[in-house]
């Protein structure tokens, strides 16, 4: 174990410095994430079914149409996609996690729903003029770097039909910073990060100029090897969102707070939903 390297990696890095590993493509961690998605006792990887139902009802009040062509970016195991397809919409779901997509495909078959699922990075989106509505739910837009956000917004704009809508949610300036700067550690013989003994050193760091928090985790194994996972989480004002979307050609941009109920992880007024038209 190189203690000096671990000490260096545990220091506050420059904004958007990447980690050394991604949990979405890790065979073991992504399988654990699927279980978290499906756990109805917590609003963590996915929101609870009651909140999902509230969200879908709100979405369909905002977006009129009986048979919409919908793209769900970061669809996970298809919790939103299945409900929308069950209401008669034509749905495509994209997710980076093979485990989530495999589960979603099997679940759709069991429910006899014709949903197109694709296992890919949504940053590689290439379609044009295809969708009436593109969704990005559970604050995924806020984990992207500024360059990734601009790139994806432009790709989404291109993939929408004329008059189509991009609808997504983010954390806003009401998000509580109470855990920032807190360091923690975990040991386990088997846990979320590994199926074998490990030590995890976790930290949360705040960058006020960028309005971003870094949640980083150094996972150290018994043989001394380690991986560094970094997650950048932004908060946005309504003005921030309108500026980002206007620069990529969107119009009729609207922001809404208080759409979903409070959860154990965030209050209702700390989540902003945004709609923007092509």
């Amino acid at each position: 174990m190189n203690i000096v390297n671990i000490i260096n990696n545990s220091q506050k890095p420059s904004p958007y410095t990447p980690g050394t590993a991604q949990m979405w493509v890790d065979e073991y961690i992504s399988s654990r994430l699927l279980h978290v998605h499906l756990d109805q006792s917590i609003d963590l990887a996915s929101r609870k079914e009651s909140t999902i139902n509230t969200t879908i009802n709100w979405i369909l009040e905002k977006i009129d149409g009986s048979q919409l062509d919908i793209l769900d970016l970061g669809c996970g195991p298809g919790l939103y996609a299945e409900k929308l397809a069950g209401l008669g919409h034509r749905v495509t779901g994209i997710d980076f996690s093979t485990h989530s997509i495999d589960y979603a495909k099997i679940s759709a078959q069991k429910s006899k729903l014709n949903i197109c699922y694709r296992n890919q990075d949504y940053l590689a989106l290439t379609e044009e003029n295809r969708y009436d509505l593109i969704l990005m739910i559970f604050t995924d837009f806020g984990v992207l770097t500024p360059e990734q956000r601009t790139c994806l917004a432009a790709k989404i704009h291109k993939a929408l039909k004329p008059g189509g809508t991009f609808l997504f949610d983010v954390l806003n300036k009401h998000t509580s910073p109470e855990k920032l700067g807190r360091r923690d550690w975990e040991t386990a013989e088997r846990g979320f990060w590994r199926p074998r003994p490990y030590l995890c050193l976790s930290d949360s760091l705040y960058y006020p100029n960028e309005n971003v928090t870094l949640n980083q985790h150094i996972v150290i194994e018994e043989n001394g090897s380690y991986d560094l996972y970094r997650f950048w989480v932004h908060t946005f004002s309504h003005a921030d969102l309108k500026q980002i979307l206007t620069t990529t050609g969107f119009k009729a941009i609207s922001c809404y707070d208080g759409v979903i109920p409070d959860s154990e992880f965030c209050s209702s007024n700390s989540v902003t939903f945004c709609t923007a038209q092509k």
Side-chain angles (χ1 to χ4, degrees):
M1 181 187 301
N2 191 322
I3 296 294
V4 174
N5 283 345
I6 293 174
I7 291 172
N8 290 336
N9 279 318
S10 67
Q11 303 306 306
K12 188 174 185 177
S14 300
Y16 311 118
T17 302
T20 63
Q22 287 187 317
M23 69 178 185
W24 314 110
V25 295
D26 182 279
E27 179 69 19
Y28 174 75
I29 299 175
S30 62
S31 69
R32 298 281 293 185
L33 276 171
L34 176 58
H35 289 292
V36 179
H37 273 296
L38 301 173
D39 188 342
Q40 282 294 298
S41 68
I42 52 173
D43 279 322
L44 195 50
S46 291
R47 294 182 176 126
K48 295 176 183 176
E49 185 175 11
S50 58
T51 303
I52 292 172
N53 289 335
T54 297
T55 304
I56 288 176
N57 290 337
W58 182 85
I59 289 170
L60 296 179
E61 287 176 2
K62 297 296 177 186
I63 313 298
D64 191 23
S66 58
Q67 284 192 319
L68 299 172
D69 288 307
I70 300 174
L71 174 62
D72 185 4
L73 298 177
C75 65
L79 304 181
Y80 293 83
E82 285 203 5
K83 292 182 181 297
L84 290 164
L87 293 170
H89 301 288
R90 295 179 291 269
V91 183
T92 299
I94 292 177
D95 200 275
F96 209 18
S97 168
T98 302
H99 282 284
S100 287
I101 288 294
D102 287 346
Y103 176 93
K105 287 179 178 178
I106 293 170
S107 181
Q109 289 173 356
K110 289 180 179 177
S111 301
K112 297 182 179 179
L113 294 170
N114 185 23
I115 303 172
C116 175
Y117 284 115
R118 303 205 306 261
N119 181 205
Q120 71 174 72
D121 183 351
Y122 50 56
L123 293 174
L125 187 66
T126 59
E127 293 158 294
E128 295 186 31
N129 299 320
R130 179 169 176 183
Y131 300 103
D132 300 298
L133 172 64
I134 296 181
L135 301 175
M136 197 173 188
I137 303 297
F138 208 3
T139 68
D140 266 23
F141 195 68
V143 305
L144 303 174
T145 67
E147 292 78 12
Q148 289 172 331
R149 285 199 305 265
T150 300
C151 177
L152 182 60
K155 289 176 180 287
I156 289 171
H157 188 273
K158 185 179 291 187
L160 286 167
K161 298 176 184 178
T165 301
F166 176 33
L167 189 153
F168 63 101
D169 64 336
V170 297
L171 295 174
N172 62 37
K173 301 297 181 66
H174 296 295
T175 302
S176 172
E178 61 186 15
K179 293 183 179 180
L180 298 181
R182 176 180 167 184
R183 288 189 161 181
D184 201 357
W185 59 279
E186 171 202 5
T187 58
E189 292 188 3
R190 178 186 176 95
F192 176 81
W193 295 103
R194 295 290 187 271
R196 50 192 175 269
Y198 68 86
L199 164 67
C200 180
L201 307 175
S202 300
D203 201 0
S204 293
L205 303 163
Y206 184 54
Y207 298 72
N209 293 335
E210 291 80 12
N211 290 323
V212 66
T213 300
L214 168 62
N215 295 315
Q216 69 175 11
H217 309 273
I218 303 174
V219 181
I220 307 166
E221 300 205 46
E222 199 169 16
N223 63 6
S225 65
Y226 68 92
D227 284 318
L228 173 61
Y229 300 87
R230 283 182 171 150
F231 307 96
W232 302 91
V233 182
H234 293 82
T235 59
F236 303 86
S237 67
H238 292 190
D240 293 334
L241 296 173
K242 291 177 180 178
Q243 181 179 17
I244 292 166
L245 294 167
T246 299
T247 59
T248 47
F250 284 97
K251 58 188 179 182
I253 301 163
S254 299
C255 298
Y256 308 86
D257 299 336
V259 172
I260 57 175
D262 292 341
S263 74
E264 61 266 44
F265 294 103
C266 63
S267 64
S268 177
N269 71 349
S270 67
V271 179
T272 295
F273 278 75
C274 184
T275 62
Q277 291 185 344
K278 180 173 179 178

